Amino acid sequence: MLVLEYKVKPKPQQVAAIEEAIRTSQFVRNKVLRFWMDNRGVGKAELFRYNTALRNEFEFVKDLNSHACQTAVERTLRAITRFYENCKQQKPGKKGYPKFKKHSRSVEYKVSGWKLDESTKKHITFTDKKGIGKLKLIGSRDIQYFQPEQIKRVRIVRRADGYYVQFSIKLDPRDTVKPLTPTQKAVGIDVGLKFFIADSQGNTEVVPQYYRKAEKHLNRLNRRKSNKYRKGKKPQSNNYHKARQRSAKKHLKVSRQREEFVKKVALRLIQSNDLVAYENLNVKGMVKNRRLAKSITDAGWTTFRQWLEYFADKYGKLAIAVPPHNTSQNCSNCGEKVEKSLSTRTHVCHHCRFVCDRDWNAAINILQKALYIVGRTKIYASGETSSWLVGEILLANEDSLNEESTSL
Ligand SMILES: [Zn+2]
């Protein structure tokens, strides 16, 4: 799925209509959740049937496009499923019992209830009875390129700086570009403590200064917001709301900067390598472990990884996630385990005397693991030698190479 996003500038009565649609979607979501809580054991079918009943009972629910109501039910279902899975897996800590939503920011349509301007595709018109009407799409990326049937979802999102329309587009990214010429390089990357990433070729990527600065500023704004907050006071003061607004806007800006940064790094890695290996990290656990630098939070790494996988797919490259065990402990030269604490910056192997920067060593291990995994993935394309046979040929070659080298 590719998401295209456009800013829209609705008129006051359209804002009211959008807010009304968001509220209705939230109403359906919460009602369905209540129904589930009150009737333990009800399944998906009952929840959807209850949604239909709601539409018959409340005129304002009926006014919202029926598919948009369905997505609200699906959201509840997702929350319920996640809760059940957490229980089944006996996940430690909170199981995430589904909660009622109070401050929804979006409403999601599927393939109906809206229409794009046929010729220019510069406007979208919402056609259900909420009366949002026609909105101009402001943004540079062109939706014109895609077929209307590729658009699977349309969301209206409220952010600190206004309203946005998002299109989820289903596509095979390889349809849109031709594969890049092989670079004949492979790289492993490690999430650094000091750097954003360190790679197996010895390069590091630092988190940009502007980003750190912006984050400090954001923290300051957040503090100001909490200072203005009065517990139990309703409504909160104007100053509180001003501070909240300011911090929300900054937050938005910082997250956009972060996205731009990680996107650029991901694209560069994919363009200059054929295979990129990285650790399959449980980021939530890591942040707790303080293995991860404060400067790049879980959101940063997760988006980075998503972009990496997206670009790999788009340009016909390999992005491989490897299990993260012992990548920083093992010696990338001889494979022996060399225990070290988080503060040890240099890997010094007392088995083979290999000395190397800690993150660099880990990155090489990550690459090795990925090659091992890929090497053992059997790919049977018609007419090709099965992989075990390839292995035999390689072994035979190795033997002859050894013979040659001994004779030399
Ligand atoms: Zn060693």
Side-chain angles (χ1 to χ4, degrees), residues 46-111:
E46 281 108 326
L47 294 186
F48 278 108
R49 218 172 297 141
Y50 181 65
N51 171 43
T52 314
L54 282 177
R55 288 178 68 77
N56 291 332
E57 188 180 346
F58 298 99
E59 198 62 31
F60 70 94
V61 178
K62 197 159 197 164
D63 286 346
L64 183 66
N65 174 271
S66 64
H67 282 145
C69 286
Q70 275 182 21
T71 58
V73 182
E74 284 164 11
R75 281 188 199 182
T76 315
L77 267 172
R78 264 204 300 278
I80 294 171
T81 320
R82 197 163 41 230
F83 167 65
Y84 277 142
E85 271 170 10
N86 287 345
C87 292
K88 217 162 62 192
Q89 292 167 358
Q90 299 188 319
K91 211 174 152 191
K94 288 189 179 164
K95 305 285 182 289
Y97 189 77
K99 283 192 194 130
F100 293 110
K101 285 252 180 292
K102 276 198 233 151
H103 307 288
S104 293
R105 298 156 165 267
S106 66
V107 54
E108 186 171 315
Y109 291 75
K110 287 189 182 174
V111 293

Side-chain angles (χ1 to χ4, degrees), residues 229-242:
Y229 184 75
R230 294 285 167 266
K231 205 178 166 195
K233 193 184 166 209
K234 260 178 202 171
Q236 291 288 330
S237 67
N238 274 341
N239 281 338
Y240 166 75
H241 285 291
K242 262 189 230 156

